[in-house]
Amino acid sequence: MVKKEKVTIKMVADEAGVSKSTVSRVISDYPDISDDTKKKVREVMKKLNYHPSAIARSLANRISKNVGLVLPSDEDFFLNPFFQESLRAIAITASSRGYDTMLVYNDKDETTAINRLVSANKVDGMILMRAIVNDKSIQYLKENKVPFVLIGNSLENKDIYSVDTDNFKACQELTRILVENGCKKIGFIGGDKNSVVTLDRLKGYMSVVKEKNLYNDKTMIQENEFTKLNGYRSIEKILSDNEDIDGMIVTDALIFRGVVDYLTEVNYGKDIILGTFGAEHQLGYDDRFKVFNVDVQCMKMGQASCNKLIDMLDGQKVNKMDIIDYKIM
C-alpha cells in the first residue's frame, strides 16, 4: 500500500502563491489579510484536504512579541550616529512596551533575510531603517501583509506607515544659512543616490542654488555610499575641480567625519563653511571650521517609529505619516 503524502502548510502556500506566514494568518483569521486572499487559501486547503493540526494552529496564533529591525548593509552602518541613536531609542521603547528587538541585515536587491523572519513567525512587525528607490523590502512586506513602519519617505508608496523629517525643507534652510553667511559657491556631498533621503536633500540644495542664482556645476556634487572614506574622497574630488569653493553641504554625519578629516589632514587654509546633518555629537573635535548642523532628532524618530508599529499591532488607529521636527544649530 502506497503511503499518502502528508500535506504541509508549505504545499498550501506554494499552491496558493502566497507565503507560509500568510497561510498561518488565514488559519488564524487575521483581519489584515484580504477577503480574496483568505478565500483563495481556504479553497486550496479544501482542494488539498489540508487540516491544520493543533500544533499548527498554536503556531499560527503565536505572538512572538518581537519587533524586527531591517538594517541597511552599509559597511560602516554601526559607526553612523543616526542609526546608533535610532537603534537605541527603538530598543528602549520596545522593551518598555514588552517587546524584544531582532536585527536583520538586508541587501538592497534581496528580501531573503526578511523572508527568514517572516516565514518562521519570528516577528510581529518590522521597522525599515532606510528608504531607497524601488525598495523590494516594502513590496515584499505589503504583499505578505506584514505590519511595518518605514523610517523615511517612500517615493513609490504613499499608502504606507512612516516616520520622517522634512529633508527637503531642512536642506533648503541649511543652504540658505550658508548663503546668508556669505557663501557664493556651495558644493554638495550626499550618500547613495538611490537613497530617498539623499534625493530629498539634494532637491532642497538645488532649489536654493536656482533661487539665489549660485554658481553650479556637476563637479560640485558627489554622491557615494554612507562611509567616512567616501566623505574623504568626495571633498578631495570637489576641491580638486573647484579651488575657490566657500561652502559645502554634507548630508550625513559619517560622511562629514571624512570631510573634516581631509580638510584637517591637508591643513586647508581657505575659509569654508560647512552645513551638515546629525553631527551634533562630533562638532567639537575640530573648531577651525564654521559648521551649521541639522539635528534631525534621531532618538525621537526611533521612538516614534517603534511606538507607531506597536500601536498598529495593538489595533490602534495611527497616522500614515509622522513628521519629526528638526533643529539647526
Side-chain angles (χ1 to χ4, degrees):
M1 180 177 178
V2 179
K3 188 176 181 181
K4 191 174 181 180
E5 184 181 10
K6 180 180 178 181
V7 180
T8 66
I9 194 169
K10 184 178 186 306
M11 293 166 67
V12 174
D14 290 345
E15 178 76 15
V18 298
S19 69
K20 290 193 295 183
S21 65
T22 297
V23 176
S24 294
R25 287 169 178 265
V26 170
I27 293 170
S28 301
D29 200 25
Y30 268 55
D32 61 350
I33 302 295
S34 70
D35 290 340
D36 287 345
T37 300
K38 287 179 180 178
K39 181 181 178 182
K40 178 171 65 174
V41 170
R42 286 166 180 162
E43 285 176 350
V44 171
M45 289 169 62
K46 184 177 180 180
K47 172 185 172 183
L48 298 180
N49 197 28
Y50 175 73
H51 300 284
S53 65
I55 293 176
R57 286 194 299 271
S58 173
L59 288 172
N61 288 315
R62 184 181 65 190
I63 298 176
S64 71
K65 300 295 283 187
N66 290 327
V67 171
L69 307 186
V70 183
L71 314 182
S73 55
D74 295 358
E75 180 181 337
D76 294 341
F77 172 82
F78 281 105
L79 299 177
N80 194 307
F82 173 83
F83 293 115
Q84 289 175 357
E85 295 297 299
S86 298
L87 281 172
R88 187 159 70 95
I90 290 170
I92 291 171
T93 304
S95 180
S96 72
R97 299 192 61 175
Y99 281 77
D100 294 319
T101 52
M102 298 188 71
L103 308 184
V104 59
Y105 279 108
N106 203 53
D107 187 277
K108 64 184 69 174
D109 295 322
E110 297 291 342
T111 56
T112 306
I114 292 178
N115 180 60
R116 281 201 304 271
L117 292 187
V118 172
S119 61
N121 287 320
K122 290 183 178 180
V123 295
D124 300 326
M126 291 192 150
I127 298 173
L128 302 180
M129 298 291 290
R130 178 182 293 161
I132 62 172
V133 178
N134 296 319
D135 195 334
K136 292 182 179 180
S137 300
I138 290 176
Q139 199 59 36
Y140 173 87
L141 294 171
K142 286 179 66 177
E143 288 175 355
N144 288 278
K145 309 294 184 183
V146 180
F148 72 96
V149 172
L150 170 68
I151 295 182
N153 171 40
S154 173
L155 299 182
E156 303 86 12
N157 300 276
K158 299 304 179 185
D159 60 336
I160 64 173
Y161 294 96
S162 58
V163 175
D164 199 10
T165 193
D166 191 335
N167 287 294
F168 173 86
K169 182 181 175 183
C171 199
Q172 192 178 54
E173 188 175 338
L174 183 63
T175 309
R176 284 195 184 121
I177 288 174
L178 266 61
V179 173
E180 291 165 3
N181 278 265
C183 295
K184 292 180 171 45
K185 193 172 182 179
I186 304 172
F188 177 95
I189 301 175
D192 188 337
K193 63 184 178 181
N194 289 316
S195 170
V196 176
V197 68
T198 298
L199 294 174
D200 286 343
R201 291 173 182 174
L202 178 58
K203 289 174 184 175
Y205 157 82
M206 286 302 304
S207 73
V208 177
V209 168
K210 293 174 182 177
E211 170 193 310
K212 301 296 184 181
N213 197 28
L214 301 177
Y215 177 86
N216 183 251
D217 184 83
K218 64 180 181 180
T219 61
M220 295 169 60
I221 297 175
Q222 288 283 306
E223 296 169 278
N224 282 296
E225 295 296 324
F226 292 88
T227 67
K228 180 179 175 181
L229 178 59
N230 280 322
Y232 186 100
R233 288 173 173 169
S234 293
I235 187 68
E236 181 181 32
K237 173 62 176 168
I238 289 175
L239 290 177
S240 70
D241 295 322
N242 302 274
E243 293 182 358
D244 57 341
I245 209 161
D246 54 13
M248 187 66 59
I249 298 294
V250 185
T251 68
D252 178 80
L254 195 54
I255 296 173
F256 174 76
R257 290 181 190 175
V259 169
V260 173
D261 281 354
Y262 176 81
L263 294 174
T264 303
E265 184 178 305
V266 301
N267 195 26
Y268 194 74
K270 298 178 182 178
D271 290 336
I272 185 169
I273 300 177
L274 305 175
T276 191
F277 287 75
E280 53 269 15
H281 301 295
Q282 59 194 44
L283 291 180
Y285 77 86
D286 195 313
D287 57 6
R288 292 189 306 152
F289 308 104
K290 190 170 186 177
V291 179
F292 293 94
N293 175 64
V294 181
D295 177 5
V296 296
Q297 303 198 79
C298 38
M299 286 286 288
K300 282 189 177 181
M301 192 130 8
Q303 183 182 50
S305 64
C306 189
N307 275 324
K308 183 192 284 281
L309 178 62
I310 295 175
D311 285 347
M312 290 163 56
L313 295 174
D314 287 346
Q316 298 182 39
K317 187 175 180 179
V318 298
N319 298 326
K320 284 289 184 181
M321 165 73 83
D322 287 323
I323 298 293
I324 306 299
D325 291 336
Y326 61 85
K327 296 184 267 187
I328 299 183
M329 303 174 288

